[in-house]
Each structure stands twice: as structure tokens, then as C-alpha cells.
Amino acid sequence: EADIYQTPRYLVIGTGKKITLECSQTMGHDKMYWYQQDPGMELHLIHYSYGVNSTEKGDLSSESTVSRIRTEHFPLTLESARPSHTSQYLCASSERLISYNEQFFGPGTRLTVL
Amino acid sequence: GENVEQHPSTLSVQEGDSAVIKCTYSDSASNYFPWYKQELGKGPQLIIDIRSNVGEKKDQRIAVTLNKTAKHFSLHITETQPEDSAVYFCAASKPSGEANNLFFGTGTRLTVIP
């Protein structure tokens, strides 16, 4: 079982609220990722990080922002949530300096914006 | 960039029968092909992977085959059990380096009927 945690697991909030989804890993992995998973199952990479102070945008444009101040922590923030942000958000991590990108996923946060 | 296609999107099999999920990829530089299983309410978990220097890998009831020439790889589950019911994702990535993110297929929802 991978040591990667996400909180909260479920969140229901009103439109316009600022939220932060937490992700932490205890494996010392340099690379971390955020995926958005729609009801059709597909995984969309929205942010990733190579290490501390590194953040990159993924393949799917997102209004969320991320930060990486510590190796183990990669929070995702929505400044003003909207119903279109309703989705499952998955965090993952992997080692940076290996040949093969095996990613370990957290359990996800299911966000509902009313 | 890499494009991974996955078929079928849904698959129902009788308990004890075999299940096969197929994926194709577009970038011949990809060399790592993991398969993830996502159970309800959980994040994806790696179940098996194959690297481009082998053509087949087996782990108990699951096996993966890779055809580099045709750029396709497949997951085979034999003697299926109800606990195999889940969403399965294939993925591909390039060799190590800064840009070796995983590119996921669109997922296959497998249902094993008791």
C-alpha cells in the first residue's frame, strides 16, 4: 500500500468559496501530480511538479493552482469554486531519477460545488 | 505527444471466463506500459507493467503482452472473479527524464458476473 494521502475525501461547498485540497506522501518522491477524473472515468493531468518550488501545467487546462514548498506536500487550490469544478481529484507521486515512471495514487477527493 | 487508445470501454464477462483489454500507443519512443486497477471509491493501483525489452509478462491470473512493431499492448485476466470488477487503465511513458509523464487510456469498466 502506497503512503500517499488526500484530505478531505469528500467535500461539498457552495459556489464562490475558496478551497484547498491536500495531498501528502511519505515516500520521499520528487515528482507529484494532480489528475482530474470525470464521471466518464478518463484521467486528465492538470498539474505536476518535479520537486520543491517546481510546478507545471498538465494537459488539461485548469483554473486551480498548486504549490510545492515541501517535498512531501502538494496542495491544490481553487480560489473561487464553481459547479464546473465538480469532479474527482486524484493526487499521485513517483520517483524522479528512475527509468520507469511508476506512479502511486492517493484515494482521491470527490468535490461537489453547488 | 503520445496518444493512448483503449478498448473496449465496458466489458462484462461470466465468472471464470477470461477478459482481454487492448491498448494502442502512437509514440514509438514510449518504453514503459503499466496497467492500473481502480476500485470504487479508491485511487488507481498498479497491477502489472511491462517494459519495451520484453514481449510478455505474467503474474498469476494476469498477463500483459506487448507488440512494439504494431504499437499495441494488452491485458489478459484469466479465471475472472467478482473481485476483478473495477475500472482498468493502460498507460504509456517515455524513458526517464523530465518529460516522462504517463499518458493514460480512457479506461475499461470490467464487470464480472457471478
Side-chain angles (χ1 to χ4, degrees), chain A residues 1-2 9-10 31 33 35 37 39-43 45 48 50 57-59 88 90 95-108 110, chain B residues 9-10 31-32 34 36 38 41-46 49 51-53 87 89 93-109:
Chain A
E1 192 96 2
R9 291 294 314 279
Y10 304 92
K31 290 193 78 173
Y33 314 80
Y35 292 86
Q37 185 172 33
M41 306 181 298
E42 201 165 344
L43 292 163
L45 180 66
Y48 61 101
Y50 297 121
K57 291 194 177 295
D59 307 316
Q88 167 93 326
L90 290 161
E95 292 187 43
R96 180 176 176 179
L97 295 176
I98 60 169
S99 299
Y100 303 100
N101 189 355
E102 179 182 350
Q103 292 185 17
F104 296 87
F105 282 83
R110 182 163 296 282
Chain B
S9 57
T10 60
N31 71 337
Y32 175 61
Y36 285 81
Q38 186 177 22
K42 297 183 179 180
Q45 287 205 322
L46 180 72
D49 56 18
R51 304 173 187 183
S52 60
N53 57 344
V87 178
F89 292 95
S93 77
K94 297 179 186 179
S96 65
E98 301 296 340
N100 70 335
N101 289 338
L102 284 176
F103 292 86
F104 284 91
T106 50
T108 297
R109 186 178 301 278

Side-chain angles (χ1 to χ4, degrees), chain A residues 48-67:
Chain A
Y48 61 101
S49 166
Y50 297 121
V52 171
N53 294 327
S54 157
T55 60
E56 304 287 340
K57 291 194 177 295
D59 307 316
L60 179 69
S61 175
S62 173
E63 294 168 349
S64 59
T65 59
V66 291
S67 62

